[in-house]
Amino acid sequence: MLEEVERWLDRRSWSVADRPMERILAAKRNTKVSVVLPALNEEATVGDIVAVIRRELMTEAVPLVDELVVIDSGSTDRTAEVAAAAGARVVPRDAILPRIPAVPGKGEVLWRSLMVTSGDVVCFVDADLRDFSADFVTGIVGPLLTDPDIDFVKATYDRPFDTGSDEPASGQTPGQGGRVTELVARPLLNLHWPQLAGFVQPLGGEYAARRSLLERLPFPVGYGVELGLLVDALHTVGLDALAQVDVGVRKHRHQDERALGRMAAAIYRTAQLRLSRGHLVRPRLTQFERGEDGFTPRTYAVDTEERPPMADITEYTRRRVA
């Protein structure tokens, strides 16, 4: 590990307990905080997350979060209804920047969320978390409010892997979540961006940043968004402006191996785009599924499109002037 990274780990890696709520609120002053949940068919979990944030972080006693928005990216279940009933403002993805046709992908939703939120600090939280704790928000927002030199904060946590057992004790394998992180993202970062080797969960979906940074970054539209934002933030503001906070344990729905393969391909493509803007491999991935007559190939397009920095979008700049 680079000496620079070792120093960074000492200076920029914290626990959620390092910043009591009283200190965070005292530092908030007039800073506005927006929390965004990108959601696609998450009716089982999104309501609980919204309810916890409203109950613990949006009260007269604890006015940490000023704006709580769920961006629904085309759910076919009751995600929007459940989120609204729990107290979130729900905005359909396709209603944001209708001039630009939407494409599927998490990064697309995060990029569009900048258009319908107004916080100086924007906090992203995945909508599939179970046993959600408000620490996920306070942990990553805290450094941005208490330290003016910090621009981007990622949550870190243990990710137990759900083995599918009916017995709670045997159904969780500690520390075995994040397979794409260990097999794809971490090797890529260590080899090509060693300054980022200290991030425990580089692909984690819980992170917060200053709007002034996010609006200057391009957003990969799909699974590569987390790696893309992290690498671009490094190049834009430098390692010392990045940080991570341990918020405990993250429980969520795990995807199957084929979905992980598509995720890995998109992340590799995102890294490749940042390494070279020259010749690129054909952005498609073939996987195999066993059927009645043997293995059947299935070929998928890999997410390759990226949205430009929001600061380059006419509607956004007009809104800021207004």
Side-chain angles (χ1 to χ4, degrees), residues 220-264:
V221 299
Y223 288 128
V225 63
E226 272 80 31
L227 184 135
L229 290 178
L230 185 60
V231 169
D232 292 342
L234 171 69
H235 290 306
T236 303
V237 295
L239 180 61
D240 202 50
L242 314 183
Q244 64 183 352
V245 177
D246 186 351
V247 297
V249 178
R250 183 185 197 268
K251 298 179 182 178
H252 67 116
R253 181 185 67 254
H254 291 275
Q255 302 194 55
D256 63 31
E257 286 78 4
R258 286 185 291 274
L260 294 178
R262 296 191 290 276
M263 182 185 299

Side-chain angles (χ1 to χ4, degrees), residues 1 11 18 39 47 53 138 196 215 234 249 268 272 281 284 308:
M1 183 177 292
R11 299 184 62 249
D18 291 335
I53 293 173
T138 57
L196 298 175
E215 65 186 11
L234 171 69
V249 178
Y268 177 79
Q272 188 183 41
V281 297
R284 300 185 70 80

Side-chain angles (χ1 to χ4, degrees), residues 248-312:
V249 178
R250 183 185 197 268
K251 298 179 182 178
H252 67 116
R253 181 185 67 254
H254 291 275
Q255 302 194 55
D256 63 31
E257 286 78 4
R258 286 185 291 274
L260 294 178
R262 296 191 290 276
M263 182 185 299
I267 290 166
Y268 177 79
R269 169 73 172 192
T270 300
Q272 188 183 41
L273 283 169
R274 279 150 181 78
L275 289 168
S276 172
R277 294 290 172 175
H279 175 70
L280 298 175
V281 297
R282 189 166 66 97
R284 300 185 70 80
L285 175 72
T286 298
Q287 298 176 314
F288 295 88
E289 299 177 7
R290 181 181 285 280
E292 294 181 358
D293 300 322
F295 287 102
T296 302
R298 297 278 187 263
T299 300
Y300 302 88
V302 175
D303 294 324
T304 58
E305 188 171 352
E306 297 196 2
R307 294 304 189 187
M310 188 58 80
D312 293 343

Side-chain angles (χ1 to χ4, degrees), residues 31-36 67 69 89 110-124 144 150-152 208-217 219 309-311 316-317 319-320:
T31 304
K32 186 172 182 179
V33 176
S34 299
V35 175
V36 173
E67 187 176 42
V69 181
R89 176 162 65 97
L110 300 184
W111 180 72
R112 289 175 187 265
S113 75
L114 297 180
M115 190 69 204
V116 294
T117 56
S118 56
D120 307 292
V121 169
V122 182
C123 173
F124 298 125
L144 294 164
I150 300 295
D151 288 320
F152 188 97
R210 300 192 191 281
R211 176 177 293 271
S212 57
L213 171 61
L214 290 174
E215 65 186 11
R216 296 156 60 195
L217 302 179
F219 277 60
M310 188 58 80
Y316 184 80
T317 55
R319 190 198 71 165
R320 296 297 298 272

